[in-house]
Amino acid sequence: MSTFPAQSQKATVVSPNGKINIDLLNRQNQERGNWYLQVNYTDSCSTTEVLGGIDLGLSRNDQDFFNELKLLKAGKPLRINEQYTAIHGKRSQCSNSANQIVVNFENAGKARMNLIIRAYNDGVAFRYEFPEKEGSFTITDEHTAYLVPDSTLRWLQKFDLSNEGLYKETNKAQDKGDWCYPALFKANGNNCWYLVHEAAIDRSYCATKLSNYAENAAYKVTLPYEHEGEGKALPHITLPWKSPWRVVIMGQLSDIVESTLVDDVSKPSVLTKSDWIQPGAASWNYWSDNHGTRDFQTVCRFTDLAAAMNWPYTLFDWEWDAMTNGGDVEDAAKYALSKGVKPLIWYNSGMFKWITATPVDRMLTHANRMKEFAWLKSVGFAGVKIDFFLSEKQYMIDYYLDILDDAAQNEMMVYFHGCLVPRGWARTYPHLMTYEGVRGAEWYNNNPELTTTAPVHNTILPFTRNVVGSMDYTPVTFTNSQHPHLTSYGHELALSVLFESGMQHFADRPEGYDALPDAPKNFLRQVPNTWDDTQLLDGYPGKDVIMARRKGTDWYLGGINAEVHGEKVKTLNFSFLPEGIKYKLTLITDGAHDKAFSTQYLLVDTTSEIEVKMLRRGGFAASLKQMN
């Protein structure tokens, strides 16, 4: 762990609520040298130094902006105050509100670099800027590094290009390696948490990861490696240029879960018309039948399921181009539309010759995409699922954004699979409905591991992956796939609320939903997948989580238990409800065993408290409807 003597700050920015303080400091305590950010968090009791520091700097192929940087000027604080509406996500009305300073540096060669620093009520964001008007260069390294004290608790996921690993909890920086975003930390000795991520990636840069090879406790922003996909590993930039935002969401656990900071710092929507973007739930046949879409009759069964459950969509997954047994893909689309269900359809990205699932090349070029989108519109498809990206280099960022640009021209919604985790694109391209980038229920098909790890894994995701954007876990299964689940039926039902996704693919087979009692079946017919508000009521990663989400005047609750030994009793407090209004509560909890439900109907208000029992690996779901 790097430690440095106390330095006098050269610039400071404080969040609007005064809780977060960011100081710009110099290692040598001079006007020239190495620079870092010190972040302090103040709660009701005390002020805490959250990070050991955030190292700063970039290297270009022509020169460094890391050593021997001279501070020229620190600007006066500027208030950022922007309101925007989100079509899908954890909150419909969002606020990009922060205090900002811009610091001007000069390197030994008299070249300029600016640092833009923002302090938010729920975190920190900063980015680099090269202000010159001309020049093209390669970024050879980024020196941003988060210095994390050894005593800090951390939840980290080993990096892989599909972002489908498991988070591991540790209190030591003993493991060296590459780590996925987002990374969750809890400062020692207080209730301050922070989640490290990045946002607003565009064509001018690549996505990055964290690594701590050089120093265990220094989690460095790391550019892609040469072997990670085709194309050049290092990003090429043209001046003037701004980097993506480096984001640290910070505060209590509720601040982390409820934050929209990744979207807040991202670019506003590029769309002038968005009424064609319609979030919703979809039936999905792949989980229960990997080859289901090549069978017309299976596709019709899942279309009928969507119609019966009042879900607006059904997904035709891979092998739709080989569909037989009564009809082809156009026949299946006509059948879906006749039932009031809109079809979605899968494509291979075509970026890797060794992935041969067809169709391979229909999304690969602009001409091919425009031709395919025109056909899809003509036969009634509403959106596309595109799979197998498996690289985070700059050329792949270009490909993602090419798809989104062409899809927008054709009013086609998009879902990325086998991909990076969200970086704020849902604000810029709101027709991007969801991403995979998670170890989801599909892994019950891959090996037996998720059978035992899912209960804990499911209680970590609301504090990590799902914080930063929509997550297509494909939840809520009651029957088994190739490998069984040990989570209770109550646990599975709760995932419909806990896991946010702009396009929610419910994964079970029709028989699984048909066999449900009336209360959980009706719950799944009604539960929204876009929200006006989100609140964390209780929880701790790896142990349990209870969340409340609002749609209009109605509230929905979901709670799950990760513990494998014994039952757990939680007290539901309804203080989040408005005063003076009664609500009808439908509470669906674990029953006598893990495949049974128990349902209660009660009137509650903001003063009510109710005890809820969860079985081991159990859970519950609830709806609150305002009384007239």
Side-chain angles (χ1 to χ4, degrees):
M1 174 65 197
S2 298
T3 58
F4 301 93
Q7 311 289 341
S8 59
Q9 74 268 19
K10 305 300 182 181
T12 298
V13 60
V14 181
S15 63
N17 65 4
K19 288 188 174 183
I20 294 175
N21 184 96
I22 311 168
D23 292 332
L24 176 67
L25 304 173
N26 181 271
R27 295 284 185 227
Q28 295 77 26
N29 202 21
Q30 298 175 0
E31 298 301 313
R32 185 182 291 277
N34 301 101
W35 297 85
Y36 69 102
L37 298 177
Q38 177 63 61
V39 182
N40 295 325
Y41 175 78
T42 301
D43 60 15
S44 58
C45 300
S46 61
T47 298
T48 302
E49 179 183 300
V50 178
L51 285 158
I54 305 174
D55 285 343
L56 302 169
L58 295 169
S59 290
R60 290 193 327 215
N61 62 315
D62 64 325
Q63 55 193 310
D64 288 333
F65 297 82
F66 176 52
N67 295 309
E68 296 301 310
L69 276 182
K70 180 181 179 180
L71 175 66
L72 298 179
K73 179 183 177 183
K76 294 182 179 179
L78 170 70
R79 183 62 182 268
I80 305 296
N81 194 6
E82 175 193 17
Q83 312 301 314
Y84 67 96
T85 299
I87 294 176
H88 51 86
K90 67 181 75 172
R91 183 172 297 109
S92 58
Q93 300 302 313
C94 303
S95 176
N96 180 28
S97 182
N99 290 324
Q100 172 182 289
I101 60 170
V102 179
V103 182
N104 309 130
F105 292 106
E106 178 184 83
N107 71 1
K110 304 296 185 182
R112 300 290 184 89
M113 183 184 78
N114 297 335
L115 182 69
I116 304 166
I117 310 169
R118 289 183 182 177
Y120 286 82
N121 288 345
D122 58 350
V124 172
F126 62 95
R127 73 193 313 184
Y128 304 100
E129 178 183 35
F130 291 131
E132 282 88 352
K133 303 301 182 185
E134 295 181 351
S136 295
F137 304 97
T138 297
I139 299 294
T140 57
D141 200 4
E142 180 168 338
H143 301 285
T144 308
Y146 303 92
L147 309 180
V148 178
D150 271 349
S151 56
T152 304
L153 282 173
R154 61 206 74 201
W155 286 259
L156 301 173
Q157 180 187 149
K158 284 283 190 181
F159 180 77
D160 75 81
L161 289 169
S162 66
N163 296 282
E164 294 180 37
L166 294 168
Y167 278 87
K168 177 184 177 182
E169 178 186 349
T170 178
N171 63 354
K172 295 181 180 180
Q174 56 192 358
D175 295 331
K176 292 187 176 184
D178 298 316
W179 308 100
C180 287
Y181 291 116
L184 178 65
F185 303 88
K186 182 182 185 298
N188 185 43
N190 59 56
N191 198 32
C192 182
W193 298 71
Y194 54 100
L195 188 77
V196 175
H197 197 45
E198 64 180 1
I201 294 172
D202 59 22
R203 297 177 187 274
S204 70
Y205 212 58
C206 56
T208 69
K209 62 178 79 68
L210 297 174
S211 68
N212 63 336
Y213 290 109
E215 187 177 351
N216 286 23
Y219 292 88
K220 179 183 177 298
V221 171
T222 302
L223 302 176
Y225 301 136
E226 202 62 51
H227 67 273
E228 294 174 338
E230 300 174 358
K232 295 179 180 179
L234 301 177
H236 182 78
I237 67 169
T238 301
L239 305 190
W241 173 84
K242 292 179 181 178
S243 74
W245 287 100
R246 305 288 161 232
V247 174
V248 185
I249 303 172
M250 183 176 296
Q252 298 183 2
L253 264 182
S254 58
D255 297 313
I256 304 292
V257 171
E258 297 165 19
S259 175
T260 57
L261 186 53
V262 172
D263 287 342
D264 296 344
V265 300
S266 297
K267 294 178 182 178
S269 173
V270 298
L271 304 182
T272 57
K273 181 174 177 287
S274 60
D275 58 347
W276 54 276
I277 303 171
Q278 299 291 329
S283 62
W284 183 54
N285 64 45
Y286 178 87
W287 181 85
S288 58
D289 185 344
N290 292 0
H291 302 289
T293 306
R294 69 185 179 192
D295 186 290
F296 177 78
Q297 300 303 325
T298 298
V299 172
C300 290
R301 286 177 56 239
F302 278 82
T303 295
D304 292 342
L305 169 64
M309 294 298 290
N310 199 35
W311 300 336
Y313 301 103
T314 188
L315 174 66
F316 300 176
D317 215 289
W318 77 307
E319 298 184 321
W320 57 263
D321 55 335
M323 193 183 301
T324 59
N325 195 23
D328 61 14
V329 66
E330 291 196 9
D331 296 322
K334 290 177 183 177
Y335 183 83
L337 294 169
S338 75
K339 299 290 184 176
V341 175
K342 298 176 184 177
L344 311 169
I345 193 166
W346 177 96
Y347 286 89
N348 185 339
S349 74
M351 294 299 277
F352 302 95
K353 294 178 181 178
W354 51 273
I355 302 176
T356 58
T358 59
V360 171
D361 60 351
R362 300 192 197 185
M363 291 291 137
L364 201 51
T365 68
H366 170 72
N368 287 3
R369 285 190 296 273
M370 297 303 281
K371 179 181 178 181
E372 196 71 3
F373 286 148
W375 169 69
L376 291 173
K377 291 288 288 186
S378 72
V379 295
F381 284 91
V384 292
K385 170 185 177 180
I386 306 177
D387 203 349
F388 305 126
F389 291 89
L390 302 178
S391 178
E392 301 190 350
K393 294 179 180 178
Q394 190 173 20
Y395 84 98
M396 194 63 81
I397 302 302
D398 280 339
Y399 187 36
Y400 280 117
L401 300 184
D402 287 344
I403 290 170
L404 290 171
D405 286 341
D406 290 347
Q409 289 186 46
N410 290 274
E411 297 189 350
M412 188 71 54
M413 294 181 291
V414 176
Y415 156 32
F416 290 136
H417 192 84
C419 60
L420 46 60
V421 300
R423 277 6 189 242
W425 289 345
R427 181 181 179 194
T428 312
Y429 306 93
H431 59 299
L432 174 53
M433 308 306 292
T434 191
Y435 311 63
E436 190 189 26
V438 65
R439 181 162 296 204
E442 181 183 338
W443 276 79
Y444 286 115
N445 285 333
N446 297 344
N447 59 54
E449 166 266 307
L450 197 63
T451 296
T452 55
T453 59
V456 169
H457 179 58
N458 293 349
T459 60
I460 294 175
L461 292 175
F463 302 102
T464 51
R465 165 62 181 85
N466 212 185
V467 170
V468 302
S470 284
M471 177 181 79
D472 198 55
Y473 179 102
T474 62
V476 189
T477 59
F478 303 103
T479 66
N480 288 323
S481 182
Q482 295 181 33
H483 302 283
H485 63 78
L486 300 180
T487 50
S488 78
Y489 280 17
H491 184 119
E492 290 294 314
L493 186 65
L495 300 183
S496 66
V497 177
L498 291 177
F499 292 167
E500 181 272 314
S501 181
M503 193 70 73
Q504 187 79 283
H505 292 84
F506 289 122
D508 207 349
R509 50 180 57 83
E511 295 82 4
Y513 298 116
D514 290 344
L516 292 175
D518 287 344
K521 185 183 294 184
N522 289 332
F523 187 90
L524 289 173
R525 286 189 176 116
Q526 299 172 12
V527 63
N529 72 309
T530 63
W531 305 101
D532 295 319
D533 193 14
T534 292
Q535 294 189 31
L536 175 68
L537 303 185
D538 194 7
Y540 190 94
K543 296 185 182 299
D544 51 54
V545 57
I546 301 175
M547 293 174 65
R549 299 190 191 267
R550 179 176 62 83
K551 184 70 171 181
T553 60
D554 297 336
W555 287 87
Y556 294 80
L557 278 64
I560 58 174
N561 176 23
E563 310 287 354
V564 298
H565 302 293
E567 300 174 350
K568 182 176 289 185
V569 177
K570 288 285 187 175
T571 300
L572 288 183
N573 182 304
F574 296 94
S575 59
F576 58 88
L577 295 175
E579 293 186 3
I581 299 176
K582 293 283 188 182
Y583 284 78
K584 181 180 180 179
L585 170 69
T586 302
L587 178 62
I588 307 168
T589 64
D590 289 321
H593 53 81
D594 61 358
K595 294 183 179 181
F597 291 104
S598 176
T599 302
Q600 300 179 63
Y601 302 95
L602 300 166
L603 285 182
V604 298
D605 60 23
T606 189
T607 66
S608 301
E609 288 188 348
I610 296 174
E611 286 193 344
V612 176
K613 182 185 72 175
M614 293 185 282
L615 298 176
R616 60 176 186 166
R617 303 183 295 265
F620 72 91
S623 65
L624 290 153
K625 305 284 187 178
Q626 183 173 312
M627 301 294 290
N628 295 327

